Amino acid sequence: MLSVAHIHSYYGKAHILSDLSFDVPRGEVVALLGRNGAGKSTTLKSVMQLVPPRRGTVTYQGDNLVGRPAFRVATLGLGYVPEDRRIFSDLTVLENLEVGRQPPRADAPEWTTDKLFVLFPNLAERRGNRGRHLSGGEQQMLTIARTLMGNPALLLLDEPSEGIAPVIVEQMARTIRTLKSEGLTVLLSEQNLHFARAVSDRAIILEGGQKRFEGSFAELEATPAIRDAYLAV
């Protein structure tokens, strides 16, 4: 579904991603792992063309995305959930969801507010509350739910377990597994190895903007030297 090939991405003159390549097959959940500053968030932004690569290609279902405006990329069926959430704090939960509404797609599950309230019961209870009155975990749920209202076929999640209570982290893990069962493809960035292992099919480890490992979590566990070199605090 998604192919990233030899991309080089920059912030100004700072070379962040260097010759990065990987594939995300349809129906899989793939985790980008690495320490702070490894390039995980930049990778997601490069896919969405928020940080367009200066070299290389990002191909989604056969179409090269490089150079397209980010809003055009979103209309193709990619949904992006940023780490900093960016909900509309003065709008209610329902109003936030309506902002994200897009028409259904033939190749993606269709989401309605009722279906999302089953997926996120916390939001159902607070559907009339303004965004600023939600907890951090509830804001994270709302950001994901609003993105799902766009009926994406590929969901990009940036640090979904960051800064939320452990009980919400477990709920988030169940949510991602449910999304996969619905047929959604997911690429997520994560520092929490336990969380990533619980939801993902494969892992890609980044360090210094380069890929250092790609494989199953069983393969990662079998190579503790790699895990310790690139993931240990």
Side-chain angles (χ1 to χ4, degrees):
M1 173 174 276
L2 178 72
S3 180
V4 174
H6 307 291
I7 64 170
H8 293 256
S9 296
Y10 295 74
Y11 290 118
K13 295 182 179 180
H15 195 173
I16 306 302
L17 302 180
S18 179
D19 198 31
L20 179 61
S21 300
F22 62 88
D23 295 327
V24 180
R26 182 181 297 275
E28 280 198 3
V29 178
V30 177
L32 298 172
L33 302 175
R35 300 185 181 97
N36 276 332
K40 305 185 300 300
S41 295
T42 304
T43 300
L44 298 186
K45 291 177 181 178
S46 293
V47 170
M48 282 301 299
Q49 302 307 299
L50 295 167
V51 180
R54 295 187 191 174
R55 284 183 282 162
T57 60
V58 178
T59 306
Y60 173 71
Q61 302 198 114
D63 292 328
N64 186 12
L65 304 181
V66 175
R68 300 192 184 197
F71 76 93
R72 294 290 186 196
V73 172
T75 63
L76 295 176
L78 285 82
Y80 171 59
V81 180
E83 182 182 3
D84 53 1
R85 297 163 189 158
R86 299 184 192 177
I87 63 165
F88 295 100
S89 60
D90 289 332
L91 300 184
T92 67
V93 167
L94 272 171
E95 289 167 342
N96 267 275
L97 295 179
E98 286 301 320
V99 168
R101 185 184 293 275
Q102 290 190 43
R105 306 176 197 279
D107 62 344
E110 180 179 355
W111 296 94
T112 63
T113 53
D114 288 342
K115 190 174 176 182
L116 287 168
F117 285 149
V118 172
L119 187 64
F120 297 107
N122 303 56
L123 298 183
E125 297 171 3
R126 294 162 175 75
R127 65 185 71 193
N129 291 27
R130 297 191 186 278
R132 64 173 175 268
H133 296 143
L134 303 180
S135 70
E138 289 164 349
Q139 290 182 8
Q140 181 72 296
M141 293 176 190
L142 179 56
T143 310
I144 295 173
R146 185 183 62 193
T147 303
L148 291 175
M149 283 293 288
N151 299 308
L154 172 62
L155 185 65
L156 309 178
L157 287 174
D158 196 357
E159 301 279 3
S161 75
E162 178 69 19
I164 58 179
V167 64
I168 303 297
V169 171
E170 291 302 319
Q171 185 175 343
M172 196 68 68
R174 291 194 297 270
T175 297
I176 294 173
R177 289 192 290 265
T178 299
L179 296 179
K180 181 184 177 183
S181 72
E182 290 275 352
L184 201 60
T185 305
V186 180
L187 175 64
L188 62 92
S189 74
E190 190 54 66
Q191 289 192 69
N192 185 330
L193 182 59
H194 172 75
F195 179 87
R197 186 190 298 112
V199 302
S200 307
D201 297 292
R202 289 188 298 114
I204 297 168
I205 295 179
L206 302 182
E207 176 68 24
Q210 295 181 311
K211 184 173 68 176
R212 306 298 185 175
F213 170 87
E214 181 173 6
S216 68
F217 279 89
E219 292 170 322
L220 180 57
E221 292 298 325
T223 52
I226 291 177
R227 182 191 62 213
D228 295 344
Y230 299 119
L231 299 180
V233 177

